[in-house]
Amino acid sequence: MKTILIAGGTGFIGSHLCKRLVDEGNRVICVDNNYTGTLKNVAPIIDNPNFKFIEHDIVNPLDIDEKIDQIYNLATPASPVHYQGKAALFTIKTCVHGVFNLLELAKKNNARILQTSTSEVYGEPLEHPQTESYRGNVNPIGIRACYDEGKRLGETIFFEYHRGEGVDIKVVRIFNTYGANMNPEDGRVVSNFICQALKGEDITIYGDGTQTRSFCYVDDLVEVIIRMMNSRDGFTGPVNIGNPGEFTMIELAEKVIEMTGSSSKIVFMPLPADDPTQRRPDISLAKKELGWEPLIPLNEGLVKTINYFKGAI
Ligand code: UDP
């Protein structure tokens, strides 16, 4: 039994991680400010004696009165509608001050710490698919920069704590992920399309819909995050984690309409600034080092996600 702290534990991916690690017999301390997360996501484990929720914003230092073995950092608003605009400066603070505070906690506890970075570090990629050695093409002053540059700096801070302070780090770069516990108000393409289809509303494609994304079902993602945390000493990553299946937004909209039997129509709206044209992970490193590849194809994951949203909206 390990004592594991999960920052961002009431969020979409964090809540799945909390449940899985509690179910496996660990003590889990979930830290969240519930800005985008919700206690509803951890309802199945909230009364488990091995689960503890602490309402706290990691922008402020935190001290925990238990010895911690592992720390997972999933705390950042990750959806454009939640990280941009009024939230932009707060997003940067979470990505930077929050990361410092968690690394200090790891150092004090001699704990291993995993950073969930993002495919956004590649920006508008000029290499396709993206390998970990690709250094990206990010607009440092664009509306996505608070998140993209915040996450890039997060990786830098992790590696400096590793080199300079000897902290045991792991870094993963998460590509688009979907599944149960997504926030219906999150503005993400999968949640938007499914909610719109279920309500019979127009399906909103931004731009001409030829942009691509690669969608990983959350159970596959949680599996590889845990494998990375427990990977061999000295293997820091960064490692791309995601599903290499690549789809245009038009293909996704058509699939969702067909699978929900919806009468919704597709409408086209302006493409937000700096919206990446294409994105697909090269997951060779995750396969080699972690023996992992995603098992749940998009159609199967969409069925599960549609069923979740039927009960959630
Ligand atoms: N998108 C869309 N309609 C929506 C929401 C998003 O066409 O209602 C597009 C968005 O412009 C982007 C893609 O879907 O090209 C993925 O958007 P999301 O916010 O889910 O993820 P990210 O852009 O962060 O990869």
Side-chain angles (χ1 to χ4, degrees), residues 78-81 83 119-120 144 147 176 182 186-190 192-193 196 203-207 209 211-213 215 249 252 270-272 275-276 279:
S79 172
V81 297
Y83 67 64
S119 55
E120 287 286 323
R144 293 174 89 102
Y147 183 71
N176 296 63
M182 287 184 101
D186 210 25
R188 292 307 189 102
V189 70
V190 173
N192 271 11
F193 285 4
Q196 289 161 345
I203 306 273
T204 55
I205 289 186
Y206 303 158
Q211 72 270 38
T212 66
R213 293 292 186 277
F215 299 103
M249 296 312 103
L252 180 69
L271 187 69
D275 197 284
R279 189 185 280 158

Side-chain angles (χ1 to χ4, degrees), residues 4-10 13-19 21-22 28-32 51-52 54 68 70-75 102:
I4 302 172
L5 185 139
I6 302 179
T10 66
I13 299 172
S15 58
H16 287 273
L17 192 60
C18 285
K19 177 149 187 346
L21 292 170
V22 166
V28 169
I29 301 171
C30 167
V31 174
D32 208 303
F51 180 76
K52 179 176 177 183
I54 300 175
I68 294 163
Q70 296 182 338
I71 300 173
Y72 290 87
N73 180 24
L74 294 99
L102 292 178

